[in-house]
Each structure stands twice: as C-alpha cells, then as structure tokens.
Amino acid sequence: MPRIKRKRAALPTLNYTRRGFRLKDGRLHLAGGIVLTVVWSRELPSDPTSVRVYRDSLGHWYASFVVAGETQPLRATDAVLGVDWGVRETATTTSDAHDLPHAQHGKTAAQKLARYQRMMARRKPAKGQPASRGYRQARAQAAKVYKKVARQRQDTARKWAKRVVRDHDAIAVEDFRPRFLSKTTMIRKAADAAIGATKRALIEMGRKHGRDIRLVHPAHTTMDCATCGARTKHALPLAERTYTCTACGAISPRDKNSARVMLVRAGLDPAGAEGVGPAGPLVREAA
C-alpha cells in the first residue's frame, strides 16, 4: 500500500492566486501583511498569475511565479536531429558532435554521501525522541550533497538542450519512460543518467525557442533497421552494442541506428524507410 506523507514531515509550501499577492518596488507582498524582499534570478517577462512560496531541504526559501511564456525564435538551420536515450551515454544522436556522455555526477558524490548517511544511521534518535544536534547536522550535509548533484544534472541537461535546439530546426526524441529502468539491475546508473530531467529540459527549450520537437514511441526502436526498415525476430541483448541488419546487411552502432530510426518514424528523414514500426500512432507532437 502507498504510504501517505505526513503533514509534519512535508516541507512547507504556500500557494497564492492573483488576489493573494502583489509586487511593488521589487518586493513581494503576500496576504496577511507579509512583505518579502526577493533576490530575483531573472526579470519576469509578464505579470504573474500565481506564486508558490516553498522551502527546500536546505532550509532555503523560494518564490516560483507562473507567467505566460514567450517564444524566442532562433535562426533557421535546415538541420534535423534524432535522439535516443540510453545508460552508457545519456543521449545518443545522429550527430556525433551532439552526443551527451554520462556525466556520473551521482557516482562522483557517492562516497561523500555515504559518509553522511552512516553518520545519520549512528545518530538516529529512538522512536518518539527528538533528533540530536549531530543528527540534524549530518542530515543537512546529506541534503546539501543531494542538492548539488541535482543542480549539476540540471545544469548539464540545460546546456546540452540549448546547444541541440540552437543547431537544429526539428528534433525527433524518443518518448522513453525512465521508470521502466527502475525494474532492472541498471536502476542506479539509470537514475544517475537523469534521462527524465534531460528529456524535460530538451522539450522545454524547444518550446521556448519555437523548434519542432516530435516525441516518438520507443517500441521496437532497437529492433528496426534505419536503412531498409526490416525488423529482427528477437530483441537484442543489452550486451550486444552493434546492430547488424539481416535483410540489407547494414552495420552500425546500436544506439546510432536507434537515433536514425527516430528520424524515420518522425518523418524527418525523407531518404529513410517509411512505415517502420508496429501499426498505430508512433509520433505525437509535444504539447
């Protein structure tokens, strides 16, 4: 059964609609006479419709505003790109210059994180007893390491997404669900790859700059040939990294072939095979 998160264990969050807050002289005025001095990360493009004030695991307070998005178009490049997600490399594309290697931010911080977790285990208070000062300090240090890793992953994803969107007009992206990997032995490496965060960053960056982002169904992408459209009878094992087509004899790296299949299924590769994949809608536009 799912565990219900207790109210006292949840981080505080306050949500205000348009009538519950206002901005005046760079300060945030909330209902109830609360006035906050905000350190702005960037200017708001338009008037906000709502705001969420929340505290993170480090005790820092943030104000997240909801505003109408504005498209910032980029120059046309007449280039297209196919993106296939993986574990050995976070993103394998049809362009070698735009592949995203596994940054391994979590693996780098694992030793330091394990140290603080051992400190927490030794100082864990008994049930019903208040936490000691040493336990709270160790918990804060562990939260700090988690936050740093999350920010590193987000920074890597945004920089890569910006470069991909700047250099291509249309992008075919595998609509992969990272939760699928949580049922395999690669769960730790898959979590460190941050495929979900990278995928969201690419879609959001494409919307921001008016690029054509097409999500492609991931079924049989590792079994189809991007050259002739033939499909293997059996799924390739993960240890086999080279795709060899038995119909046309094409040989290519497994992930590179899958990235080209994305282009074919999205209709962005006129020279490729048409109708590859099972029947049914394989491509859907990003909303």
Side-chain angles (χ1 to χ4, degrees), residues 185-215:
T185 57
M186 299 183 297
I187 176 174
R188 179 171 296 181
K189 191 171 183 180
D192 196 11
I195 297 176
T198 308
K199 175 184 168 184
R200 286 192 301 270
L202 180 59
I203 294 175
E204 291 173 0
M205 196 66 67
R207 291 173 181 171
K208 177 180 178 181
H209 296 289
R211 295 306 200 191
D212 184 10
I213 306 293
R214 304 188 182 185
L215 300 180

Short mmCIF file of all heavy atoms in Angstrom, two decimals, residues 185-215:
data_model
loop_
_atom_site.label_atom_id
_atom_site.label_comp_id
_atom_site.label_asym_id
_atom_site.label_seq_id
_atom_site.Cartn_x
_atom_site.Cartn_y
_atom_site.Cartn_z
N THR A 185 18.38 -4.15 -13.29
CA THR A 185 19.58 -4.04 -12.46
C THR A 185 20.34 -2.75 -12.72
O THR A 185 21.29 -2.45 -12.01
CB THR A 185 20.51 -5.24 -12.73
OG1 THR A 185 20.83 -5.28 -14.13
CG2 THR A 185 19.84 -6.54 -12.33
N MET A 186 19.91 -1.98 -13.73
CA MET A 186 20.60 -0.73 -14.06
C MET A 186 19.95 0.48 -13.39
O MET A 186 20.16 1.61 -13.80
CB MET A 186 20.59 -0.51 -15.58
CG MET A 186 21.30 -1.59 -16.36
SD MET A 186 21.32 -1.22 -18.12
CE MET A 186 19.57 -1.26 -18.48
N ILE A 187 19.17 0.24 -12.33
CA ILE A 187 18.41 1.32 -11.73
C ILE A 187 19.31 2.44 -11.22
O ILE A 187 19.01 3.62 -11.41
CB ILE A 187 17.53 0.77 -10.58
CG1 ILE A 187 16.80 1.91 -9.87
CG2 ILE A 187 18.32 -0.07 -9.61
CD1 ILE A 187 15.82 1.42 -8.83
N ARG A 188 20.44 2.08 -10.59
CA ARG A 188 21.31 3.13 -10.04
C ARG A 188 21.96 3.95 -11.14
O ARG A 188 21.98 5.18 -11.07
CB ARG A 188 22.37 2.50 -9.14
CG ARG A 188 23.34 3.50 -8.54
CD ARG A 188 24.24 2.87 -7.50
NE ARG A 188 23.46 2.39 -6.36
CZ ARG A 188 24.00 1.81 -5.30
NH1 ARG A 188 25.32 1.64 -5.24
NH2 ARG A 188 23.25 1.41 -4.30
N LYS A 189 22.48 3.29 -12.16
CA LYS A 189 23.11 4.02 -13.25
C LYS A 189 22.09 4.81 -14.05
O LYS A 189 22.37 5.92 -14.52
CB LYS A 189 23.85 3.04 -14.17
CG LYS A 189 24.76 3.72 -15.17
CD LYS A 189 25.63 2.74 -15.91
CE LYS A 189 26.58 3.47 -16.86
NZ LYS A 189 27.45 2.52 -17.60
N ALA A 190 20.90 4.27 -14.21
CA ALA A 190 19.85 4.98 -14.93
C ALA A 190 19.42 6.24 -14.18
O ALA A 190 19.16 7.28 -14.78
CB ALA A 190 18.65 4.07 -15.16
N ALA A 191 19.33 6.14 -12.85
CA ALA A 191 18.97 7.32 -12.05
C ALA A 191 20.04 8.39 -12.15
O ALA A 191 19.74 9.58 -12.22
CB ALA A 191 18.74 6.92 -10.60
N ASP A 192 21.30 7.97 -12.16
CA ASP A 192 22.39 8.93 -12.27
C ASP A 192 22.43 9.57 -13.65
O ASP A 192 22.90 10.70 -13.80
CB ASP A 192 23.72 8.24 -11.98
CG ASP A 192 24.85 9.22 -11.70
OD1 ASP A 192 24.56 10.42 -11.53
OD2 ASP A 192 26.02 8.80 -11.64
N ALA A 193 21.96 8.87 -14.68
CA ALA A 193 21.93 9.45 -16.02
C ALA A 193 20.93 10.58 -16.15
O ALA A 193 21.05 11.43 -17.03
CB ALA A 193 21.62 8.36 -17.05
N ALA A 194 19.90 10.60 -15.27
CA ALA A 194 18.89 11.67 -15.26
C ALA A 194 18.26 11.84 -16.65
O ALA A 194 18.19 12.95 -17.17
CB ALA A 194 19.51 12.98 -14.78
N ILE A 195 17.78 10.72 -17.21
CA ILE A 195 17.17 10.78 -18.54
C ILE A 195 15.90 11.64 -18.51
O ILE A 195 15.66 12.43 -19.42
CB ILE A 195 16.86 9.36 -19.03
CG1 ILE A 195 18.15 8.55 -19.17
CG2 ILE A 195 16.11 9.40 -20.35
CD1 ILE A 195 17.93 7.11 -19.55
N GLY A 196 15.09 11.47 -17.46
CA GLY A 196 13.85 12.23 -17.39
C GLY A 196 14.10 13.73 -17.34
O GLY A 196 13.43 14.51 -18.03
N ALA A 197 15.05 14.17 -16.52
CA ALA A 197 15.35 15.60 -16.41
C ALA A 197 15.91 16.14 -17.72
O ALA A 197 15.59 17.26 -18.13
CB ALA A 197 16.33 15.84 -15.26
N THR A 198 16.75 15.36 -18.39
CA THR A 198 17.32 15.80 -19.67
C THR A 198 16.24 15.89 -20.75
O THR A 198 16.24 16.83 -21.56
CB THR A 198 18.43 14.83 -20.10
OG1 THR A 198 19.37 14.65 -19.03
CG2 THR A 198 19.16 15.37 -21.32
N LYS A 199 15.34 14.94 -20.75
CA LYS A 199 14.25 14.96 -21.72
C LYS A 199 13.35 16.17 -21.51
O LYS A 199 12.98 16.86 -22.47
CB LYS A 199 13.45 13.66 -21.60
CG LYS A 199 12.21 13.59 -22.47
CD LYS A 199 11.46 12.31 -22.19
CE LYS A 199 10.08 12.32 -22.81
NZ LYS A 199 9.28 11.12 -22.46
N ARG A 200 13.01 16.47 -20.25
CA ARG A 200 12.18 17.64 -19.97
C ARG A 200 12.89 18.93 -20.37
O ARG A 200 12.26 19.85 -20.91
CB ARG A 200 11.82 17.68 -18.48
CG ARG A 200 10.79 16.67 -18.06
CD ARG A 200 10.28 16.96 -16.66
NE ARG A 200 11.35 16.95 -15.68
CZ ARG A 200 11.74 15.87 -15.01
NH1 ARG A 200 11.15 14.70 -15.24
NH2 ARG A 200 12.72 15.94 -14.12
N ALA A 201 14.19 19.02 -20.09
CA ALA A 201 14.94 20.21 -20.45
C ALA A 201 14.94 20.43 -21.96
O ALA A 201 14.81 21.57 -22.44
CB ALA A 201 16.37 20.11 -19.93
N LEU A 202 15.05 19.35 -22.73
CA LEU A 202 15.06 19.47 -24.19
C LEU A 202 13.70 19.92 -24.71
O LEU A 202 13.61 20.78 -25.60
CB LEU A 202 15.46 18.13 -24.81
CG LEU A 202 15.51 18.08 -26.34
CD1 LEU A 202 16.51 19.10 -26.87
CD2 LEU A 202 15.89 16.67 -26.81
N ILE A 203 12.62 19.34 -24.17
CA ILE A 203 11.28 19.72 -24.62
C ILE A 203 10.99 21.17 -24.25
O ILE A 203 10.46 21.94 -25.07
CB ILE A 203 10.24 18.78 -24.00
CG1 ILE A 203 10.42 17.36 -24.54
CG2 ILE A 203 8.83 19.26 -24.29
CD1 ILE A 203 9.52 16.33 -23.91
N GLU A 204 11.32 21.59 -23.03
CA GLU A 204 11.07 22.96 -22.60
C GLU A 204 11.90 23.95 -23.41
O GLU A 204 11.40 25.02 -23.79
CB GLU A 204 11.39 23.10 -21.11
CG GLU A 204 10.42 22.35 -20.21
CD GLU A 204 10.85 22.36 -18.76
OE1 GLU A 204 11.92 22.97 -18.47
OE2 GLU A 204 10.15 21.77 -17.91
N MET A 205 13.15 23.61 -23.71
CA MET A 205 13.99 24.51 -24.50
C MET A 205 13.46 24.61 -25.92
O MET A 205 13.50 25.69 -26.54
CB MET A 205 15.43 24.00 -24.50
CG MET A 205 16.45 25.01 -24.96
SD MET A 205 16.63 26.43 -23.84
CE MET A 205 17.35 25.62 -22.40
N GLY A 206 12.95 23.50 -26.47
CA GLY A 206 12.38 23.55 -27.81
C GLY A 206 11.14 24.42 -27.88
O GLY A 206 10.94 25.17 -28.84
N ARG A 207 10.27 24.34 -26.86
CA ARG A 207 9.08 25.19 -26.82
C ARG A 207 9.47 26.66 -26.71
O ARG A 207 8.88 27.53 -27.35
CB ARG A 207 8.21 24.79 -25.64
CG ARG A 207 7.54 23.43 -25.75
CD ARG A 207 6.85 23.08 -24.46
NE ARG A 207 6.20 21.78 -24.50
CZ ARG A 207 5.66 21.18 -23.45
NH1 ARG A 207 5.68 21.79 -22.28
NH2 ARG A 207 5.10 20.00 -23.56
N LYS A 208 10.47 26.92 -25.88
CA LYS A 208 10.87 28.32 -25.65
C LYS A 208 11.34 28.98 -26.93
O LYS A 208 11.06 30.16 -27.17
CB LYS A 208 11.98 28.35 -24.60
CG LYS A 208 12.52 29.75 -24.32
CD LYS A 208 13.61 29.71 -23.26
CE LYS A 208 14.19 31.09 -23.01
NZ LYS A 208 15.29 31.04 -21.99
N HIS A 209 12.05 28.22 -27.78
CA HIS A 209 12.63 28.81 -28.99
C HIS A 209 11.88 28.41 -30.26
O HIS A 209 12.37 28.62 -31.37
CB HIS A 209 14.09 28.40 -29.10
CG HIS A 209 14.95 28.93 -27.98
ND1 HIS A 209 15.28 30.27 -27.87
CD2 HIS A 209 15.52 28.32 -26.91
CE1 HIS A 209 16.04 30.44 -26.80
NE2 HIS A 209 16.19 29.28 -26.19
N GLY A 210 10.69 27.85 -30.12
CA GLY A 210 9.85 27.59 -31.27
C GLY A 210 10.35 26.50 -32.20
O GLY A 210 10.04 26.52 -33.39
N ARG A 211 11.08 25.54 -31.68
CA ARG A 211 11.56 24.44 -32.51
C ARG A 211 10.51 23.33 -32.58
O ARG A 211 9.63 23.23 -31.74
CB ARG A 211 12.87 23.88 -31.95
CG ARG A 211 14.04 24.86 -31.98
CD ARG A 211 14.30 25.43 -33.34
NE ARG A 211 15.66 25.96 -33.44
CZ ARG A 211 16.11 26.70 -34.44
NH1 ARG A 211 15.30 27.01 -35.44
NH2 ARG A 211 17.36 27.13 -34.45
N ASP A 212 10.65 22.49 -33.59
CA ASP A 212 9.72 21.37 -33.81
C ASP A 212 10.25 20.15 -33.04
O ASP A 212 11.20 19.50 -33.49
CB ASP A 212 9.61 21.08 -35.31
CG ASP A 212 8.58 20.00 -35.61
OD1 ASP A 212 7.83 19.62 -34.68
OD2 ASP A 212 8.54 19.53 -36.76
N ILE A 213 9.64 19.85 -31.90
CA ILE A 213 10.03 18.70 -31.10
C ILE A 213 8.99 17.60 -31.28
O ILE A 213 7.81 17.81 -30.99
CB ILE A 213 10.15 19.07 -29.60
CG1 ILE A 213 11.09 20.26 -29.42
CG2 ILE A 213 10.61 17.86 -28.79
CD1 ILE A 213 12.52 19.96 -29.78
N ARG A 214 9.41 16.45 -31.77
CA ARG A 214 8.49 15.34 -32.02
C ARG A 214 8.87 14.15 -31.14
O ARG A 214 10.00 13.67 -31.18
CB ARG A 214 8.53 14.93 -33.50
CG ARG A 214 8.23 16.09 -34.44
CD ARG A 214 8.08 15.63 -35.86
NE ARG A 214 7.84 16.76 -36.77
CZ ARG A 214 7.57 16.63 -38.06
NH1 ARG A 214 7.51 15.42 -38.61
NH2 ARG A 214 7.38 17.70 -38.81
N LEU A 215 7.89 13.70 -30.35
CA LEU A 215 8.10 12.56 -29.47
C LEU A 215 7.73 11.28 -30.21
O LEU A 215 6.63 11.16 -30.74
CB LEU A 215 7.26 12.71 -28.20
CG LEU A 215 7.56 13.97 -27.36
CD1 LEU A 215 6.66 14.01 -26.14
CD2 LEU A 215 9.02 14.01 -26.95
#
